[in-house]
């Protein structure tokens, strides 16, 4: 074991080239999104050029963007968080209960409590994954059920209605600032911070290092456990923030809020070029993936396709995105080998 | 000193198929599978004593009718997960085959032929998964998230929100028919036949040993002459076929073909398979454990429902059971290494070296 040596690899070259592909991948998805929007607008100008159309275009994907950003961070560390939908549902209900049980509670306090609660749920996932060394898929599959079960137990047949929530809070879900919905601004701010953090800070880069090769990261002395905990806490906290915004946006919350979102979040990240095997992708890609996923849903009926087919289109998109990713990776590898043989 | 280092136990990352140092009784009895089977027996006994009506034949009937689709799909899923892959699209294939059976029957085709075509479509769906995983070389988790959406989308797209309910009574009755007065549904027979086939293939054939070999180390398996790609491809096709079969059964059992039939069942199947002792990293697991895992979840759900526990507490229990079962086994492994070697380092076997 003492003779374990690390073979020198052209790391800087590889990462530079990989990030170049990453950029190309995000560009491709962005292009797909633009095409969808243009096609839908051409079929019906109201899709983009009416006040409602513009607002929906920005508003609808905002919450999924938040959840997908958290999911992307976890995926980059070569893990997965399948419990995000349940965390979102639980925090959405918590939000409603806070307003009902503590009348006059400041909105900012609700935000803080919900985000912290989501973070704690994420911490449970992270601790189980990091300390028990059990695959994240199994753990978060378990907590997907457990958190949803707690939600249903707590909610029962109860339901929170818009009339139970303060008007100023509901306004968050609909109000706009310079025609841009507040929810979208929140999502954008989070996205920019997360994007900056992942790209420019040591902590962010360590997520990539861990996802690329967990054993090497450990050998190199990175604090893998702490990073994993951080990734899951971030994912949980963002799902928690998503839960508050869900409550503000929809007003009605039952025990099934957010069910099935885990696959949408993973799907958004995968469409956006985040590799499920870790180490590759960006939160920007995941966010664009989320926007594309939900925009297609609204564009299909306008393009004359019943929205029943939405999931099929999404499926083709996910498969297309990962096949494209694979083709690019194979080509890149061949080029690298050629470059090595030439030198 | 060099001879000592040679006998150092293999690092934890190297997974072993079986620990042949242990005596036979220990190897047979002290396994994850046996623990689940024991737990199942305990739950059945406790439930029959404390829950009124649990011991009734009708309970057994509904229990089996309910878990049959999961039991069926768990068979190929076990094999796929032992190779270290996963198939999340199974429940979508259940929905798709259900819809295809419904649409074709509704269009005037004899039910038997419609069901055959649905079965074929399931096989093609599995082949698409298998092609993308083995030929294109994509991770199965990503591929089957895609085909999960694709197949479900096709199912929902074909039928919309409508449902087809006009199926021949002969078949719908057969799906619920019982073996005499025992309360055991007839569907148990085709399931047992399939179980026997899968068990023989997995545990008694070179193909089955290849499945374990792939899960332990793909490279070693390939060097040992296992056709890794072909094996995985066959397994994905099998998963598609069996899921379609489960879909046809599901349709007949509820007499209704709908696009959203069995939504979310993939998670139930995977939870049961993992509970039954199959590692998601591949290389370990056995069918008897998986069957016990499916039944354990089913029995718990059935008993709690009879005890008037809301059906959703069952979700908490399912989830907690899953987490506890996987965490406890790694906790036990950690305890074992602690006991063997104070200080956390693997013990060096000096005796054989000296």
């Amino acid at each position: 074991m003492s003779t374990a040596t690390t073979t020198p690899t052209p790391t800087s070259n590889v990462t530079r080239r990989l990030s170049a592909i990453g950029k190309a991948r995000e560009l491709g998805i962005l292009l797909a999104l633009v095409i969808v929007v243009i096609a839908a607008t051409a079929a019906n100008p109201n899709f983009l050029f009416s006040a409602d159309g513009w607002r929906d275009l920005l508003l609808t994907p905002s919450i999924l963007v938040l959840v997908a950003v958290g999911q992307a961070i976890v995926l980059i560390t070569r893990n997965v968080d399948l419990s995000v939908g349940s965390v979102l549902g639980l925090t959405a209900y918590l939000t409603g209960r806070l307003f009902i049980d503590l009348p006059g509670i400041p909105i900012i306090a609700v935000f803080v409590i919900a985000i912290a609660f989501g973070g704690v749920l994420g911490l449970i996932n992270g601790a189980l994954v990091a300390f028990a060394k059990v695959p994240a898929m199994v753990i978060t599959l378990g907590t997907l059920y457990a958190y949803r079960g707690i939600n249903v137990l707590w909610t029962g047949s109860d339901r929170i209605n818009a009339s139970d929530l303060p008007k100023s809070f509901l306004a968050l879900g609909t109000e706009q600032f310079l025609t841009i919905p507040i929810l979208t601004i929140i999502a954008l701010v989070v996205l920019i911070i997360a994007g900056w953090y992942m790209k420019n800070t040591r902590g962010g880069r360590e997520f990539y290092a861990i996802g690329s090769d967990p054993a090497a990261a450990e050998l190199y002395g990175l604090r893998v456990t702490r990073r994993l905990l951080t990734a899951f806490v971030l994912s949980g906290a963002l799902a928690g923030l998503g839960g508050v915004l869900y409550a503000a946006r929809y007003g009605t919350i039952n025990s099934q809020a957010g069910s099935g979102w885990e696959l949408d979040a993973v799907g958004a990240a995968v469409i956006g070029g985040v590799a499920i095997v870790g180490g590759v992708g960006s939160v920007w890609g995941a966010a664009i993936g989320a926007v594309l996923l939900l925009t297609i849903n609204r564009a299909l009926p306008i393009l004359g396709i019943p929205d029943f087919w939405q999931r099929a289109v999404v499926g083709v998109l996910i498969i297309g995105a990962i096949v494209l990713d694979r083709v690019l990776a194979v080509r890149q590898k061949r080029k690298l080998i050629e470059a090595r043989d030439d030198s | 000193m060099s001879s000592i280092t040679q006998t150092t136990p293999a690092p934890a990352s190297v997974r072993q198929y079986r620990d042949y140092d242990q005596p036979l009784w220990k190897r047979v009895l002290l396994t994850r599978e046996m623990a689940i089977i024991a737990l199942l027996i305990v739950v059945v006994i406790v439930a029959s004593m404390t829950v009124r009506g649990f011991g009734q034949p009708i309970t057994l009937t509904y229990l089996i009718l309910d878990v049959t689709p999961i039991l069926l799909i768990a068979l190929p899923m076990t094999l796929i997960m032992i190779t270290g892959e996963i198939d999340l699209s199974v429940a979508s294939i259940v929905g798709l085959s259900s819809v295809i059976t419904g649409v074709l029957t509704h269009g005037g085709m004899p039910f038997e032929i419609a069901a055959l075509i649905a079965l074929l479509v399931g096989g093609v769906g599995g082949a698409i998964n298998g092609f993308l995983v083995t030929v294109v070389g994509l991770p199965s988790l990503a591929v089957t998230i895609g085909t999960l959406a694709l197949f479900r989308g096709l199912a929902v797209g074909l039928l919309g929100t409508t449902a087809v309910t006009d199926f021949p009574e002969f078949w719908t009755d057969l799906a619920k028919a019982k073996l005499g007065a025992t309360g055991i549904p007839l569907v148990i027979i085709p399931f047992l036949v399939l179980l026997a086939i899968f068990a023989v293939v997995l545990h008694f054939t070179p193909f089955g040993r290849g499945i374990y070999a792939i899960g332990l180390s793909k490279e070693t398996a390939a060097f040992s002459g296992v056709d890794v790609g072909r094996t995985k491809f066959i397994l994905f096709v099998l998963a598609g076929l069996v899921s379609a079969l489960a879909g046809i059964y599901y349709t007949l059992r509820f007499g209704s073909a709908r696009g959203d039939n069995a939504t979310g069942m993939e998670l139930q199947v995977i939870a049961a398979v993992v509970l039954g002792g199959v590692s998601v990293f591949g290389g370990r697991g056995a069918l008897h454990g998986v069957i016990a895992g499916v039944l354990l979840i089913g029995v718990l759900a059935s008993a709690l429902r009879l005890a008037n526990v809301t059906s959703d507490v069952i979700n908490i229990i399912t989830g907690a059971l899953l987490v506890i079962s996987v965490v406890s086994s790694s906790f036990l492994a950690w305890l074992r290494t602690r006991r063997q070697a104070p200080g956390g380092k693997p013990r060096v076997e000096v005796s054989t070296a000296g």
Side-chain angles (χ1 to χ4, degrees):
Chain A
M1 264 179 273
S2 57
T3 57
T5 53
T6 48
T7 48
T9 47
T11 319
S12 61
N13 199 16
V14 171
T15 45
R16 188 151 27 89
R17 278 164 186 270
L18 278 179
S19 75
I21 300 173
K23 270 175 203 147
R25 288 279 293 105
E26 285 143 33
L27 209 66
I29 295 303
L30 194 60
L31 205 67
L33 176 62
V34 171
I35 291 170
V36 168
V37 172
I38 290 176
T41 312
N44 181 355
N46 281 339
F47 185 77
L48 187 60
F49 294 120
S50 69
D52 273 358
W54 171 247
R55 197 196 63 181
D56 282 352
L57 182 71
L58 295 174
L59 193 55
T60 312
S62 298
I63 301 172
L64 185 60
V65 164
L66 291 172
V67 182
V69 164
Q71 187 69 252
I73 296 173
V74 174
L75 283 175
I76 285 169
T77 66
R78 203 184 274 194
N79 284 287
V80 67
D81 187 353
L82 293 178
S83 72
V84 284
S86 301
V87 172
L88 185 140
L90 206 46
T91 47
Y93 188 70
L94 173 77
T95 303
R97 283 254 61 100
L98 283 173
F99 282 119
I100 295 170
D101 297 340
L102 305 167
I105 185 172
I107 290 175
I108 187 77
V110 172
F111 267 85
V112 170
I113 293 171
I115 292 171
F117 183 62
V120 169
L121 294 178
L123 184 66
I124 296 174
N125 288 332
L128 288 169
V129 171
F131 293 121
K133 305 239 185 296
V134 177
M137 219 191 77
V138 180
I139 290 297
T140 55
L141 181 62
T143 51
L144 174 149
Y145 283 114
Y147 294 165
R148 179 67 64 192
I150 293 167
N151 192 1
V152 174
L153 198 62
W154 189 20
T155 319
S157 55
D158 184 28
R159 202 172 94 154
I160 286 171
N161 295 307
S163 56
D164 301 327
L165 301 171
K167 288 225 164 47
S168 52
F169 177 68
L170 288 170
L172 271 179
T174 48
E175 244 171 41
Q176 294 162 326
F177 177 76
L178 295 175
T179 77
I180 299 173
I182 295 188
L183 251 57
T184 310
I185 296 172
I186 295 175
L188 257 179
V189 169
V190 168
L191 177 60
I192 289 169
I193 294 172
W196 177 83
Y197 174 71
M198 293 298 282
K199 191 164 172 53
N200 297 321
T201 67
R202 181 184 179 142
R205 301 313 303 173
E206 284 183 8
F207 288 128
Y208 285 93
I210 292 166
S212 298
D213 193 335
E218 189 98 46
L219 271 178
Y220 190 68
L222 301 187
R223 290 190 224 175
V224 176
T225 307
R226 215 172 85 179
R227 286 276 147 243
L228 286 187
L229 286 179
T230 313
F232 277 99
V233 168
L234 282 176
S235 172
L238 285 175
L241 177 59
V244 188
L245 300 183
Y246 185 98
R249 164 109 163 88
Y250 297 104
T252 51
I253 307 145
N254 63 17
S255 62
Q256 294 307 311
S259 61
W261 278 50
E262 58 281 344
L263 290 180
D264 279 350
V266 177
V270 167
I271 290 176
V274 180
I276 222 142
V277 288
V280 179
S282 72
V283 292
W284 298 101
I288 301 169
V291 177
L292 179 63
L293 228 143
L294 294 187
T295 305
I296 282 179
N297 188 26
R298 283 179 42 249
L300 286 181
I302 291 175
L303 296 172
I305 305 164
D307 60 357
F308 296 128
W309 292 97
Q310 182 230 349
R311 288 203 71 79
V313 176
V314 167
V316 170
L317 248 175
I318 294 176
I319 295 166
I322 52 176
V323 168
L324 180 68
D325 216 31
R326 174 76 186 165
V327 169
L328 288 176
V330 167
R331 227 175 54 185
Q332 190 67 27
K333 198 176 168 189
R334 209 174 48 221
K335 271 189 192 159
L336 281 173
I337 289 172
E338 276 168 14
R340 184 194 64 191
D341 292 346
D342 288 346
S343 63
Chain B
M1 283 306 279
S2 63
S3 59
I4 294 175
T5 41
Q6 275 173 3
T7 54
T8 305
S13 60
V14 176
R15 280 159 287 156
Q16 282 182 307
Y17 178 52
R18 254 174 214 165
D19 191 358
Y20 284 107
D21 291 346
Q22 304 281 334
L24 180 70
W25 68 270
K26 261 192 172 175
R27 271 191 277 139
V28 173
L29 289 180
L30 296 184
T31 60
R32 180 71 195 279
E33 284 77 21
M34 284 302 164
I36 293 295
I37 291 173
L39 190 59
L40 173 65
I41 293 170
V42 168
V43 168
V44 167
I45 292 172
V46 170
S48 337
M49 289 193 306
T50 57
V51 179
R52 263 184 45 177
F54 182 80
Q56 309 266 322
I58 185 81
T59 312
L60 183 68
T61 309
Y62 277 103
L63 177 69
I64 293 176
L65 287 176
D66 284 346
V67 297
T68 294
I70 297 177
L71 276 174
L72 281 171
I73 302 171
L75 298 175
M77 185 72 90
T78 304
L79 273 55
I80 287 181
M81 288 180 68
I82 290 175
T83 68
E85 303 286 347
I86 197 161
D87 187 351
L88 292 178
S89 71
V90 285
S92 297
I93 292 182
V94 169
L96 183 58
S97 67
S98 170
V99 164
I100 284 175
T101 315
V103 168
L104 293 179
T105 312
H106 193 67
M109 190 179 276
F111 171 80
E112 293 78 6
I113 297 175
L116 263 181
I117 293 175
L119 208 59
L120 209 67
V121 170
V124 171
I128 293 173
N129 285 334
F131 175 81
L132 289 170
V133 171
T134 59
V135 181
V136 188
L138 297 168
S140 54
L141 188 64
V143 165
T144 54
I145 281 180
T147 51
L148 177 152
L150 173 63
F151 299 149
R152 180 64 69 189
L154 292 176
V156 175
L158 280 171
L159 213 47
T161 49
T162 55
V164 177
T165 51
D166 44 350
F167 293 102
E169 228 167 80
F170 169 75
W171 287 104
T172 50
D173 286 349
L174 196 68
K176 282 169 281 190
K178 284 174 247 172
L179 283 169
T182 54
I184 299 171
L186 213 57
V187 289
I188 200 83
I189 294 173
F191 165 72
L192 287 177
V193 171
L194 269 180
L195 171 64
I197 294 172
F198 272 91
V200 167
V201 166
L202 178 62
H203 296 299
F204 300 103
T205 65
F207 183 80
R209 283 191 290 278
I211 291 172
Y212 283 101
I214 293 169
L216 288 166
S217 166
K218 212 166 56 187
E219 291 75 19
T220 316
F223 278 122
S224 314
V226 177
D227 192 333
V228 175
R230 199 189 60 152
T231 305
K232 284 185 182 173
F233 186 83
I234 291 172
L235 293 184
F236 276 104
V237 173
L238 274 178
L241 284 172
V242 174
S243 303
L245 195 66
I248 295 161
Y249 163 74
Y250 196 100
T251 313
L252 292 173
R253 151 102 161 93
F254 294 103
S256 158
R258 292 166 52 92
D260 59 357
N261 267 354
T263 302
M265 193 183 269
E266 67 278 349
L267 295 182
Q268 292 177 37
V269 173
I270 292 164
V273 170
V274 171
L275 185 64
V278 176
S279 159
V280 287
F281 290 134
R284 92 162 304 280
L287 279 172
H288 59 289
V290 170
I291 300 303
V294 179
L295 290 178
L296 180 60
I297 292 177
V299 165
L300 264 178
S302 158
L304 291 171
R305 213 175 296 136
L306 278 173
N308 281 328
V309 178
T310 49
S311 70
D312 302 287
V313 178
I314 296 158
N315 271 352
I316 306 184
I317 294 171
T318 309
L321 203 65
L322 186 60
V323 171
I324 293 168
S325 73
V326 286
V327 170
S328 66
S329 65
S330 82
F331 178 70
L332 285 177
W334 175 78
L335 265 190
R336 212 172 299 134
T337 55
R338 290 279 300 186
R339 209 169 47 202
Q340 279 179 354
K345 291 208 178 79
R347 185 175 55 182
V348 179
E349 306 252 315
V350 190
S351 57
T352 49

